[in-house]
């Protein structure tokens, strides 16, 4: 105890001086809400509404045994072999990490720090500027066109690297492979990262271009189409030298990013192609249904190749709609950013979840005698 009788130990503000200077002014990423307790319809973080592959669940249960005493395979060799075989690549062209966020972080650190700005779309995954901030990289955000599309020609300019999600998030709009090829042919002096977190819901993968373009790094995840967000597995595909850079960062950071259970589960999930095809088909079906229903309710929806829709209602405040849905235990995501501040990003749930959302929105938007357009919320 101190002389005044107060508990010892510095207050938070006093201890802030111990922070590394690089942390000051850093704007960290804000993940979507993960509410405690049940009863929510979660359409806010682009998770898969369906369970993971039963084969993956079984293999993970089998992996929980006495071998947990031991460190896992630091190379995740069996998993990388499975990925390589599926993609028609060599195992040395595959890197795995603790979620594609970690793979992206290693790519920023290991491949995109060249003293020149990294080019990203202005409306895109908000983690990219965060990695730039963390690693001291200048981030140049290039505006999407009026239809919220990436204009690849804008990216033909000096840069330290290019990062494009395909489909883009949160717009859901896909980039045709021909346009990406056009850009790769012109941008040969820096790495082009294509973040394919949502590619399995309808976009074209650039993995087919890897052996043609040594500057191309494709990143995918098991979080979305494989319904394994909780397992944290992502991977990168590219030229062996790019993969070697990621391995060097990994082994300077954490040699065991994937535990034994995650390696077993991810491998099985990739092998279970029937389950994968079934759940992605269902989500695409519900996405088209939901887009049509939202249009009926007066929403303007961007054409999505992902497992979410970005939609706005011309007469409704997005924040108020989000709040009103929240009161009905339905979560959707809102971003304060200019140009999309009146949009909601709605994850495609199971068909009953999509129906519950449409039901709630119909009730919120019903015309009343006191309102010549729609009821106030
Ligand atoms: N890229 C994009 C575009 C995303 O939306 C996400 C999910 N938030 C990720 C990467 C990261 O996904 P994960 O770390 O779960 O693989």
């Amino acid at each position: 105890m101190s002389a005044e009788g107060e508990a010892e130990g510095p207050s938070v503000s006093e201890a802030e001086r111990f922070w590394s200077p690089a942390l000051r002014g850093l704007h960290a990423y804000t993940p979507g809400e993960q509410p405690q307790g049940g009863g929510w319809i979660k359409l806010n973080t682009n998770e898969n509404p369906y369970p993971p592959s039963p084969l993956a669940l079984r293999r993970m249960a089998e992996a929980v045994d006495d071998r947990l005493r031991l460190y896992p395979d630091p190379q995740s060799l069996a998993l990388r072999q499975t990925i390589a075989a599926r993609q028609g690549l060599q195992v040395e062209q595959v890197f795995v990490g603790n979620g594609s966020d970690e793979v992206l972080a290693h790519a920023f650190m290991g491949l995109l720090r060249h003293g020149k700005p990294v080019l990203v779309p202005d409306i895109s995954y908000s983690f990219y500027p965060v990695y730039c901030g963390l690693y001291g990289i200048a981030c140049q955000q290039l505006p999407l066109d009026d239809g919220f599309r990436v204009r690849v020609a804008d990216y033909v300019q000096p840069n330290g690297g290019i990062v494009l999600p395909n489909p883009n998030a949160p717009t859901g709009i896909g980039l045709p492979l021909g346009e990406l090829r056009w850009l790769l042919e012109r941008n040969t002096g820096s790495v082009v990262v294509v973040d394919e977190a949502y590619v399995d819901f309808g976009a074209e993968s650039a993995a087919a271009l890897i052996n043609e373009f040594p500057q191309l790094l494709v990143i995918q995840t098991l979080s979305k189409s494989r319904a394994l967000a909780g397992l944290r597995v992502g991977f990168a595909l590219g030229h062996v030298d790019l993969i070697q850079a990621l391995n060097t960062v990994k082994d300077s950071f954490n040699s065991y990013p994937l535990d034994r259970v995650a390696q077993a589960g991810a491998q099985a999930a990739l092998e279970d192609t029937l389950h994968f095809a079934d759940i992605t088909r269902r989500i695409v079906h519900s996405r088209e249904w939901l887009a049509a229903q939202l249009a009926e309710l007066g929403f303007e929806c961007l054409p999505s190749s992902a497992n979410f829709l970005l939609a706005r209602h011309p007469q409704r405040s997005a924040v108020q709609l989000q709040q009103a849905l929240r009161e009905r235990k339905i979560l959707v995501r809102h971003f304060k950013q200019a140009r999309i501040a009146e949009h909601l990003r709605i994850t495609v749930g199971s068909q009953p979840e999509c129906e519950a959302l449409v039901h709630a929105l119909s009730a919120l938007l019903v015309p009343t005698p006191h309102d010549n357009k729609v009821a106030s919320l």
Side-chain angles (χ1 to χ4, degrees), residues 2 54 112 146 159 170 183 235 299:
S2 68
L112 304 176
D146 290 344
N159 66 74
L183 179 61
F235 58 90
F299 282 88

Side-chain angles (χ1 to χ4, degrees), residues 29 46 98-102 104 125 128 165 169 195 197-198 221-224 229 232-234:
Y29 176 73
N46 297 343
N98 189 248
S100 60
D101 278 340
E102 186 184 78
L104 281 163
Y125 186 32
Y128 306 146
D195 177 355
Y198 303 100
T221 178
L222 275 71
S223 296
K224 315 294 180 183
R232 313 303 303 127
V233 182

